[in-house]
Amino acid sequence: MKQYLVEIIGESLKQFDLDERPDIQIEDPKQPEHGDASSNIAMTLARPLKNNPRAIAQKIVGGLDYDEKKISSVEIAGPGFINFRFTEEYLFDELGKILSLGADFGKSSSYEGKRVLVEFVSANPTGPLTVGHGRNAVLGDTVARLFEWTGAEVEREYYFNDAGRQMRVLGESVRARYLELLGKEGEFPEGGYEGGYISDIAQSLVDEIGDELVEAEDETPFKEKAEEEIFADISSTLERMKIEMDSYFNEQSLYDDGKIEETIQKLRDKDLVYDKDGAVWFKTTEFDKDKDKDTVLVKSTGEPTYRLPDIAYHANKLDRGFDLCVDVFGADHIATYPDVLNGIKSLGYNPEKVDVVVYQFVTLVKDGKPFKMSTRKANFVTLDDLMDEVGADVTRFFFLMRSPNTHLEFDIAQAKEAGEKNPVFYLQYAHARISSILRKVEDEYDFSKDIDLSLLTHPSEITLIKTMLKFPETIASAARLREPHHVITFLNDLASAFTAFYHDCRILGEDEKLVQARTTLAKAVAQVLRNGLGILGITAPEQM
């Protein structure tokens, strides 16, 4: 409906002498009595048209050509708001469409024809996924789902590096534990990995090949075994969270195929790279005048900083023909990614094809205090530990229920709450309650006859229909903003509207035609709840 309103307002604006049509915003009125939709376009045009907003609104309304089967009235309010009221006939038609579309209700074509790459998680294989990776994983996967619901062809990619110092230290850590298990002396590396999972990997080597690696020349076989087992563990954790990657990209491949050197040379050719103090520097002060010095791309030790392979990697993404590349990064990347965007722009790519979703970090709390769960895997809490504690559905929901750019306190006590105080259970209970009602009603009544939806005249019924009709726009907006928490806000509003309906309008025990109409309404609510929870990667149980 919002798109329809934009179109009819746009046609009416042709009567004005405007250089270009302004952006037409359609919002929900703050107070329901003011109507079903509202536009402030008249106030937006007050300055360019040099006229009173109410006078402009009157001319716009006078020029509107609308379908009276959809819109019952158009009113001017306050300083010049144009308010629209929908007809009940339109609402009942749309209710029927919800049921006919079923699992597809809410899908749109705003990104149709677009290839979108969403890169997320991207933890190097040095240990299990932790709570610190959890928000990244769930946020990235849900953003990908939103793009799929808006018509895009989506690829989920995991970027990792299995080379470099940290992987060498990982291999040395496993070798030390391996020798220790065999009663041999082994030197544990400085800064080595001390989690119990290191001993588990070493034990698996002992079980498989005994002492064959005691005289190994270097840490390579230990590193390879660790990478294999850790990636298997990571994959298992992601699968448990209903996340399936489409591709894995190894940073090392950028070195192997010469893309790192090629990237440096291209930047040198543009006079954006220079050598100083044995290091290679990127002239980032040319892009950001507030920077007091340029940025190192390659350290004096010969080791690249993160920015260099990231520039080469993003060039690779765009070379693969993606229309949009979405990166999901923690707040610690805020200072880094602008340099990467400047780098790819300097290489001739369009930086607007790269979008960065930055999320704030997560703190586990219980009773308002930092909460430490017992774990045998060093001084961190793994995602598996958290899911063991509260379940996969709750874990996903809690990671999504706040805006990505706000710090998230994951309240363990609330997450373990079995009743409606738990926000995800509140939504799941609503779906389970409707499923229970439907089982009872469908055993007693015949739904093969035509159903008279015009009987749904109670304010709670009308409000419930109007709430459901906001779902497609909610999904489109959440995808555009990369903010899945808007879906949760909508589902909470829908569950509240259903609760009010359930309180005000009996289903069982009424006239058969009214029972049929109200049951149809309840079916639609269940469908929208399923669709919304599905986008979040959360189950919609039929009984609890």
Side-chain angles (χ1 to χ4, degrees), residues 232-279:
D233 185 61
I234 288 172
S235 298
S236 174
T237 303
L238 292 177
E239 182 180 356
R240 190 176 175 188
M241 299 191 77
K242 303 175 188 172
I243 297 173
E244 184 175 344
M245 292 293 175
D246 299 301
S247 57
Y248 290 82
F249 191 99
N250 189 346
E251 180 184 320
Q252 184 61 34
S253 68
L254 296 170
Y255 296 88
D256 296 341
D257 63 15
K259 291 301 180 183
I260 296 295
E261 287 302 322
E262 182 182 316
T263 298
I264 294 176
Q265 189 57 52
K266 286 182 177 180
L267 293 173
R268 282 190 191 279
D269 293 343
K270 295 178 179 293
D271 194 30
L272 290 171
V273 161
Y274 62 93
D275 300 315
K276 178 184 175 183
D277 300 330

Side-chain angles (χ1 to χ4, degrees), residues 9-10 69-70 117 166 212-213 227 277 289 411 418 517 525 529:
I9 291 173
K69 290 183 178 180
K70 292 183 176 181
L117 179 71
Q166 60 181 351
E212 288 182 20
L213 292 176
E227 180 183 346
D277 300 330
K289 301 303 181 184
D411 191 321
V525 175
L529 283 170

Side-chain angles (χ1 to χ4, degrees), residues 441-508:
V441 173
E442 290 173 348
D443 286 341
E444 298 182 25
Y445 294 89
D446 180 9
F447 285 87
S448 63
K449 304 173 185 177
D450 290 338
I451 297 170
D452 186 3
L453 297 178
S454 68
L455 297 173
L456 301 174
T457 57
H458 191 282
S460 292
E461 295 168 332
I462 298 299
T463 297
L464 189 50
I465 297 172
K466 290 179 180 178
T467 302
M468 283 189 285
L469 296 185
K470 296 176 183 177
F471 184 58
E473 173 58 28
T474 298
I475 301 309
S477 176
R480 184 174 64 253
L481 298 171
R482 318 332 177 207
E483 294 182 342
H485 69 283
H486 293 298
V487 180
I488 291 178
T489 300
F490 165 83
L491 291 175
N492 284 330
D493 290 344
L494 179 59
S496 296
F498 175 77
T499 300
F501 156 75
Y502 188 71
H503 178 269
D504 296 338
C505 306
R506 291 194 309 170
I507 296 181
L508 292 170

Side-chain angles (χ1 to χ4, degrees), residues 146-158:
L146 287 167
F147 277 119
E148 289 169 338
W149 269 69
T150 48
E153 179 187 338
V154 180
E155 184 170 330
R156 295 163 172 81
E157 184 156 281
Y158 189 125

Side-chain angles (χ1 to χ4, degrees), residues 22 24 39 69-70 84 94 129 150 154 156-157 168 174 186 196 215 243 316 321 367 391 422 425 449 506 517 526:
I24 300 170
S39 177
K69 290 183 178 180
K70 292 183 176 181
F84 299 86
E94 293 300 302
L129 294 181
T150 48
V154 180
R156 295 163 172 81
E157 184 156 281
R168 185 172 66 253
V174 173
E215 302 297 332
I243 297 173
N316 173 282
D367 301 324
N422 184 318
F425 287 172
K449 304 173 185 177
R506 291 194 309 170

Side-chain angles (χ1 to χ4, degrees), residues 22-23 49 58 61 71 80 97 108 117 122 175 216 230 255 285 309 333 353 363 379 466 470 475 486 521:
D23 185 30
L49 293 178
Q58 288 169 354
V61 171
I71 298 173
K97 289 179 183 177
S108 66
L117 179 71
S122 298
R175 175 160 62 177
I230 290 170
Y255 296 88
T285 51
H333 284 73
K353 287 189 173 184
T363 302
N379 60 344
K466 290 179 180 178
K470 296 176 183 177
I475 301 309
H486 293 298
L521 178 58

